[in-house]
């Protein structure tokens, strides 16, 4: 019995009551059996003593069973009391759960393992006002969403599409599901499975967030449209600037050509005067005029180069070539200048092969060298090459001139910026454009420029060039200007130029060299002169641009055809483009750029007729 009592306390209240009722029935059956036994015993023995003894035993048994029954009833009362308290607590917890669900700002819905609605809050029902009255506990989820779709409670996508997508998401439960309701609200659904296989869903109103996103997208779209409009305006402005820049380049080219024509004539006249014997005072004036004209020539040439670089009219011709193709001609060209100024010039040869534009790289090194010679007085200038850590070649120009203050190094690469030192006077001061051209060319070629300088001790200008992988033939060096006193005497020359001043200057210069000169201003006139000559001329000198669109190379071809042989010819032009040089080369003509340097012209003529 004690074991039974212990077991009763381990059962829940309902089971404990049932157990006590079974014990009570059992006790009643035992009492009945005992009573029957006593009665039979009395029948058999019939004795008073036996009856008395039986009554005592029966009383004892009844008392024991009565006590057990009382204890069982007490336990039953306790169990009923515990059961009432548990039911009260469960009702309280359910009420609190409902209150908590109702108090949240989000919609809440709980479905059981059969996907039937267990409970939901009013917020959840507020999302479906057209069908809220039909949503009751026990409704299946698929019936609920079909009812929502049929009522048109969702704005997009179409009801059948929305219904299919909603059920697919219900099956996977991956991520969130967005609903755009017909009243304009946006609802975000987050669903998770419970341990018993049910589904709990939280429905959040994200209308404010969505509207903010729409405003942000609209703002971004407006900004994008504004940026696109601004970009179009910038593109248009850039196009206009490029067109203006191109127009500026064309204007400078045309102006340079127009300026170089009279400048060329003036240089020819001055050279002709210099060849004549003059009084000392006149000779000094002629030299000063020549220096002034040379300065104008350098300025025009630099301005034309800068305008072409700024307009992108210069296209690099990158090849692999040995550096000696640049260094050797520069050493020859500047040897006389260095000797005249008492400068010890040393150009260290190099067999390195680099990859660059030979013509433009030569321009960089030439500017470094000419600057060094300009600022050094009676000192030393060294040109050499070094290998860098990455295998590139650094071409360096060293001088022991006055040096450059550290705060002035950046300024020397700007247009018309030059340093005034005691050794730079007159023509030696330069135009302040050489290093500006170097900076543009180096950036176009992607060749780093470095400068190291210390005031009072000199400077080092360097350009770093990629190493080449192939060896190319070196371009032939320019013909060095050498004094030729008698080789041109008696040379027959036909000059073709549409500018009378240039023709007059060329005639004066050539006759000063004892040449026989005939001149024409157009091709027909030149053909007429040619037909009257006893023999063809030894040399043709023709301007490239003639009147009425005629070109010097074409007129040279006509004159050669009339003579029946290839006459040596020199084309004189202010156009410095590679295309013109290639055209003249294809026609078998040499090119000299205006203004023509008399010494260079004399050397070229001597080479052609010698």
């Amino acid at each position: 019995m004690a074991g039974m009592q212990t077991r009763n306390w381990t059962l829940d209240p309902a089971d404990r009551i049932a157990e006590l009722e079974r014990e009570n029935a059992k006790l009643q059956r035992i009492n009945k059996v005992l009573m029957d036994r006593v009665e039979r015993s009395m029948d058999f023995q019939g004795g008073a003593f036996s009856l008395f003894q039986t009554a005592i035993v029966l009383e004892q048994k009844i008392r024991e069973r009565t006590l057990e029954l009382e204890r069982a009833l007490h336990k039953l009362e306790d169990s009923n009391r515990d059961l009432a308290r548990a039911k009260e607590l469960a009702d309280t917890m359910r009420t609190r759960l409902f209150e908590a669900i109702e108090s949240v700002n989000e919609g809440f819905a709980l479905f059981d393992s059969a996907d039937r609605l267990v409970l939901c809050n009013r917020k959840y029902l507020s999302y479906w006002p057209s069908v809220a009255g039909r949503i009751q506990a026990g409704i299946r989820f698929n019936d609920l969403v079909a009812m929502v779709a049929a009522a048109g409670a969702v704005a997009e996508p179409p009801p059948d599409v929305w219904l299919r997508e909603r059920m697919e998401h219900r099956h996977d439960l991956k991520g969130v599901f967005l609903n755009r309701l017909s009243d304009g609200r946006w609802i975000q659904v987050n669903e998770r499975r419970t341990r018993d296989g049910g589904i709990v869903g939280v429905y959040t109103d994200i209308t404010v967030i969505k509207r903010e996103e729409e405003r942000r997208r609209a703002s971004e779209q407006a900004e994008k449209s504004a940026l696109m409009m601004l970009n179009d305006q910038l593109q248009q402005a850039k196009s206009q600037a490029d067109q203006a820049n191109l127009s500026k380049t064309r204007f400078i080219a045309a102006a340079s050509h127009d300026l170089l024509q009279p400048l060329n004539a003036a240089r020819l006249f001055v050279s002709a005067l210099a060849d004549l014997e003059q009084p000392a005072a006149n000779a000094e004036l002629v030299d000063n005029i020549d220096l002034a004209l040379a300065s104008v020539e350098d300025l025009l040439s630099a301005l034309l180069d800068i305008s072409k670089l700024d307009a992108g009219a210069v296209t690099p011709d990158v090849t692999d070539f040995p550096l000696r193709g640049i260094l050797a001609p520069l050493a020859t060209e500047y040897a006389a200048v260095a000797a005249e100024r008492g400068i010890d010039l040393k150009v260290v040869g190099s067999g390195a092969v680099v990859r660059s534009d030979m013509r433009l790289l030569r321009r960089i090194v030439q500017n470094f060298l000419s600057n060094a010679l300009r600022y050094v007085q009676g000192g030393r200038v060294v040109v050499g090459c070094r290998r860098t850590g990455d295998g590139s070649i650094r071409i360096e120009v060293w001088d022991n001139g006055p040096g450059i203050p550290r705060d002035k190094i950046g300024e020397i690469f700007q247009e018309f910026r030059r340093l005034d030192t005691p050794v730079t006077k007159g023509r030696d001061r330069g135009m302040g454009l050489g290093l500006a051209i170097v900076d543009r060319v180096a950036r176009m070629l992607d060749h780093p420029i470095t400068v190291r300088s210390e005031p009072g001790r000199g400077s080092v200008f360097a350009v770093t060039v990629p190493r080449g992988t192939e060896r190319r033939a070196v371009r032939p060096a320019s013909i060095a200007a050498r004094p030729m006193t008698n080789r041109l005497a008696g040379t027959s020359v036909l000059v073709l130029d549409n500018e009378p001043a240039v023709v007059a200057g060329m005639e004066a210069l050539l006759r000063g060299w004892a040449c026989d000169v005939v001149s024409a201003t157009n091709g027909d006139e030149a053909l007429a002169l040619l037909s009257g000559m006893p023999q063809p001329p030894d040399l043709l000198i023709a301007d490239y641009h003639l009147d009425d669109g005629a070109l010097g190379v074409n007129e040279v071809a006509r004159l050669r055809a009339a003579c029946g042989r290839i006459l040596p010819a020199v084309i004189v032009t202010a156009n410095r483009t590679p295309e013109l040089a290639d055209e003249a080369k294809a026609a078998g003509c040499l090119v000299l750029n205006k203004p023509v340097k008399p010494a260079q012209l004399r050397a070229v003529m001597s080479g052609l007729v010698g």
Side-chain angles (χ1 to χ4, degrees):
M1 183 65 70
M4 183 180 297
Q5 294 175 1
T6 301
R7 186 171 64 253
N8 286 339
W9 286 108
T10 62
L11 300 174
D12 56 80
D15 292 339
R16 288 169 60 191
I17 293 172
E19 182 67 23
L20 292 173
E21 290 176 350
R22 285 193 296 272
E23 289 183 6
N24 186 32
K26 184 177 179 181
L27 291 173
Q28 290 179 359
R29 286 195 301 273
I30 291 172
N31 286 335
K32 185 177 184 304
V33 170
L34 290 174
M35 292 294 293
D36 291 340
R37 182 178 177 183
V38 170
E39 289 177 357
R40 285 194 300 272
S41 177
M42 289 176 63
D43 291 339
F44 290 141
Q45 298 178 5
F49 178 79
S50 178
L51 181 60
F52 177 74
Q53 186 180 16
T54 300
I56 292 174
V57 173
L58 181 60
E59 181 184 7
Q60 182 66 28
K61 296 293 184 180
I62 291 173
R63 185 179 292 110
E64 292 176 357
R65 294 296 185 269
T66 302
L67 290 175
E68 290 179 2
L69 181 59
E70 289 176 354
R71 286 194 293 269
L73 290 174
H74 286 307
K75 291 179 181 179
L76 180 60
E77 291 175 358
D78 292 341
S79 296
N80 286 332
R81 190 165 47 252
D82 292 340
L83 181 60
R85 282 200 297 266
K87 183 176 182 301
E88 182 181 357
L89 180 61
D91 292 340
T92 302
M93 296 302 294
R94 178 178 289 271
T95 302
R96 290 179 179 176
L97 176 62
F98 281 134
E99 291 176 353
I101 292 174
E102 287 293 341
S103 65
V104 297
N105 293 328
E106 289 81 9
F108 180 88
L110 175 63
F111 292 80
D112 60 16
S113 58
D115 217 8
R116 293 187 298 264
L117 180 64
V118 177
L119 61 91
C120 64
N121 60 3
R122 284 192 295 270
K123 188 69 174 180
Y124 173 79
L125 296 176
S126 69
Y127 296 142
W128 326 109
S130 58
V131 296
R134 298 160 58 187
I135 299 177
Q136 302 293 333
I139 186 173
R140 290 187 176 276
F141 179 78
N142 56 349
D143 296 333
L144 190 154
V145 293
M147 185 169 56
V148 169
V154 179
E156 59 181 31
D160 54 338
V161 177
W162 177 84
L163 181 60
R164 184 181 69 255
E165 293 178 352
R166 185 68 180 93
M167 292 305 298
E168 289 174 353
H169 180 268
R170 184 73 168 187
H171 176 72
D172 295 333
L173 295 182
K174 293 180 179 178
V176 299
F177 189 84
L178 296 181
N179 297 295
R180 185 175 184 182
L181 305 185
S182 56
D183 58 7
R185 289 180 295 172
W186 282 88
I187 307 301
Q188 175 179 288
V189 182
N190 291 273
E191 294 175 316
R192 296 290 184 274
R193 288 201 177 275
T194 61
R195 285 185 296 178
D196 61 354
I199 295 178
V200 60
V202 176
Y203 296 69
T204 306
D205 189 336
I206 59 171
T207 306
V208 175
I209 298 175
K210 278 292 185 179
R211 288 176 179 172
E212 183 62 29
E213 288 180 357
E214 291 176 358
R215 284 195 295 269
R216 185 170 62 253
R217 282 197 298 268
S219 176
E220 290 175 354
Q221 185 65 31
E223 291 178 0
K224 184 178 179 181
S225 300
L227 287 175
M228 291 178 64
M229 183 180 300
L230 180 60
N231 187 53
D232 291 341
Q233 294 174 353
L234 290 175
Q235 290 289 346
Q236 185 178 1
K238 183 179 181 299
S239 178
Q240 293 175 352
D242 291 341
Q243 186 62 36
N245 203 19
L246 182 60
S247 299
K248 178 198 73 175
T249 301
R250 291 172 178 170
F251 171 77
I252 292 178
S256 298
H257 180 271
D258 293 341
L259 289 172
L260 287 174
Q261 286 290 84
L263 181 61
N264 184 49
R267 290 295 301 275
L268 294 175
F269 282 125
V270 170
S271 297
L273 282 175
D275 289 339
L276 300 177
E277 292 187 4
Q278 301 283 350
N282 290 350
E284 184 178 357
L285 289 175
V286 171
D287 289 341
N288 290 335
I289 293 173
D290 185 57
L291 290 176
L293 292 175
S295 297
V296 175
E297 176 187 348
D298 293 340
L299 178 60
L300 288 176
S301 177
L303 287 174
L304 185 58
D305 287 342
I306 287 180
S307 66
K308 287 180 179 179
L309 290 170
D310 287 345
V314 178
T315 302
D317 180 18
V318 178
T319 58
D320 295 336
F321 59 89
L323 274 176
R324 60 174 174 268
I326 290 178
L327 300 181
L330 287 176
T332 302
E333 181 179 347
Y334 283 93
V337 177
E340 180 184 354
R341 301 184 181 186
I343 298 173
D344 179 14
L345 173 61
K346 182 179 181 181
V347 179
V348 181
S350 173
V353 177
V354 296
R355 183 166 184 79
S356 181
D357 183 300
M358 188 175 187
R359 178 175 56 88
L360 295 176
L361 181 60
R362 184 186 189 280
R363 186 67 179 270
I364 293 174
V365 180
Q366 182 182 10
N367 270 284
F368 288 164
L369 181 55
S370 63
N371 273 355
L373 295 175
R374 177 178 294 117
Y375 285 95
V376 173
Q377 187 174 26
R380 188 181 186 193
V381 175
V382 178
V383 181
C385 304
R386 297 178 186 270
R387 298 182 189 274
T388 63
D390 61 357
S392 301
I393 303 298
R394 186 167 64 241
I395 307 171
E396 299 179 339
V397 178
W398 294 66
D399 68 68
N400 61 351
I404 306 169
R406 185 180 298 273
D407 59 344
K408 298 293 184 182
I409 290 179
E411 296 183 9
I412 62 177
F413 289 95
Q414 300 176 13
E415 294 89 345
F416 301 105
R417 293 295 183 94
R418 54 195 177 189
L419 299 180
D420 293 326
T421 67
V423 300
T424 56
K425 297 179 181 179
R427 181 181 178 180
D428 283 343
R429 297 184 70 237
M431 299 296 169
L433 292 175
L435 291 179
I437 295 175
V438 165
D439 181 62
R440 285 168 167 81
V441 172
R443 282 190 280 111
M444 181 174 61
L445 295 175
D446 195 22
H447 293 350
I449 298 293
T450 56
V451 181
R452 303 195 309 274
S453 184
E454 185 175 344
R457 301 191 62 180
S459 305
V460 182
F461 285 78
V463 56
T464 303
V465 188
R467 189 175 180 83
T469 56
E470 299 179 10
R471 292 181 176 270
R472 301 288 180 87
V474 182
R475 296 181 185 177
S478 302
I479 300 175
R482 306 188 301 270
M484 298 290 180
T485 54
N486 297 319
R487 294 182 61 181
L488 294 181
T491 300
S492 175
V493 182
L494 192 156
V495 176
L496 176 59
D497 199 303
N498 61 326
E499 291 289 338
V502 174
V503 171
M506 188 66 73
E507 287 180 347
L509 180 65
L510 296 178
R511 285 171 182 155
W513 297 342
C515 296
D516 295 329
V517 185
V518 291
S519 302
T521 57
N522 57 63
D524 293 337
E525 186 179 342
L527 287 172
L529 290 173
L530 190 62
S531 62
M533 297 177 64
Q535 61 183 12
D538 299 319
L539 182 67
L540 299 176
I541 299 177
D543 189 13
Y544 181 78
H545 290 286
L546 301 171
D547 289 337
D548 301 324
L551 299 179
V553 290
N554 297 335
E555 299 304 324
V556 167
R558 291 176 62 194
L559 294 173
R560 287 172 171 174
C563 294
R565 63 188 179 91
I566 303 299
L567 299 175
V570 177
I571 298 297
V572 179
T573 178
N575 190 331
R576 300 169 184 263
T577 61
E579 292 79 10
L580 186 144
D582 293 340
E583 181 184 0
K585 182 178 180 180
C589 303
L590 293 180
V591 176
L592 289 179
N593 290 317
K594 293 180 180 181
V596 175
K597 295 179 174 60
Q600 187 180 19
L601 175 62
R602 189 168 186 171
V604 169
M605 291 176 61
S606 298
L608 290 175
V609 302

